[in-house]
Amino acid sequence: MRKNIQSFVFLLLCIFPPMTIAVEQTEINLLSQQINELKSKLQQMEQQLNQLQQSPPPQTKINPSSTLPPATQASTPPPSEDIAPQPSATEPEASLEIGGAFTANYTYDGSNKNHRETKGDLSFSYVRLGIKGQYDNILFDAQYRWYDYMDIVHHAWIGYQFNDEWQTQLGITQTPFGIMPYTSHNYWEGVDFYMGLEDLDMGIKAIYDNAPWNLQLAFFKNEDYSSSSNLDRYSFDIVTTDDQANKEANQFNTRLTYTLDHGNDNSSEFGLSGQIGQLYNTTTQDSGHHWAVGLHWEGNYNGWNPQFQLAHYKYAPKNPEGVSDDIVMIGAYGGAFPKSAEGTVLIANIAKDFNVNWGKLKKLTCYNDYSVLFKKPENHHDSHLNTLGCSFGIGPVYTYVDFIAGKNMFYLGDSNGLGAGQADADWETRFNINIGYYF
């Protein structure tokens, strides 16, 4: 039996090896076919990859919170529903202020017989309307006034703010000279105003403001208006009259100030000013010149406001023969007056703010403003102006109460000029109250 089994096993071994070899050969052929198929698919994938690299990728939606680097982001914006709204460009800064005033004036002139009989006059003074504002870096400021005998442009300019330090203004703007904007505290102004040194002219001005320094440079083509014979104007200029035919032209101004800061809103300003320009005579068609230099100091010390200014000026006209070169004609407010062609102006003012508790009145400012024109020609005479008064505001209503005294000063008594009055002129007085509603 055992022998039979061994014989059977031997028989199997003899039969199955060829079959095993045949099976193994079949498996090898199958594997080779699969490898060839994989190679073919791999070649197809390589061709597709090459095509993808040569053409732009399809656009995809980007999540706004994606941390992918910019190079992997789609080149076109994704749909709005897949990204937060983007902020628009910053809108330019814009502002507009509209303001104005209307005022009434009570006057008692001690040299006027009618006033002595009627105890003075109460009259309409003026109405004014102004606008100011900016659009982005563009600035503008203008004001128009209506008096009972004339209506005028007070100022009107457009400007540009280049940066925090530099600004320009083009139009009717204040000439940079001396204490600005006013060399007085009262409603009646001082000699400097009537001299034309506190002026507004037509031109261009550059302002450099970088504390503690302030520099202003200006060129003015002519006075407020192009017509020097127009006497309806706010600020005093050389004007053309039957007596003289001069006009201002091509004027340069410079003003440099330095401000010391003492803390607690206390300060001292020191300044130097210069002015030079052409004086054209329409009769002779020749040009003379005019110039002025000045220095000033203004302080603010715990409610005290002292002002001091010293200036010298000269006009050298080219008048026709027979017309005096010792005077020039200056005009505004519908009238013209002679002024000494050379002189020195001194201003010495003091004001004090008082905190009060009188009902709705909380602050009172009292002052004494003194100014004098020292004439140059020997046959001329000094002009003096002193104003003692107080001003106060209750809400939008502001009031000036002034007692004015002057000598050889026009608008007071019989004086008809500045530095060109009478040798025996007396001091004249005027009591003035101006009440205005400002909005």
Side-chain angles (χ1 to χ4, degrees), residues 60 63 66 104 155 171 204 209 276 314 348 352:
T60 56
N63 190 316
S66 172
H155 67 271
I204 185 170
D209 189 9
I276 188 169
K314 183 176 181 179
K352 178 68 169 72

Side-chain angles (χ1 to χ4, degrees), residues 105 130 413:
N105 207 71

Side-chain angles (χ1 to χ4, degrees), residues 314-346:
K314 183 176 181 179
Y315 292 87
K318 294 292 185 179
N319 294 319
E321 291 187 12
V323 177
S324 174
D325 293 340
D326 290 340
I327 64 169
V328 290
M329 298 301 295
I330 192 164
Y333 297 95
F337 309 90
K339 178 180 78 169
S340 179
E342 185 177 2
T344 301
V345 183
L346 171 67

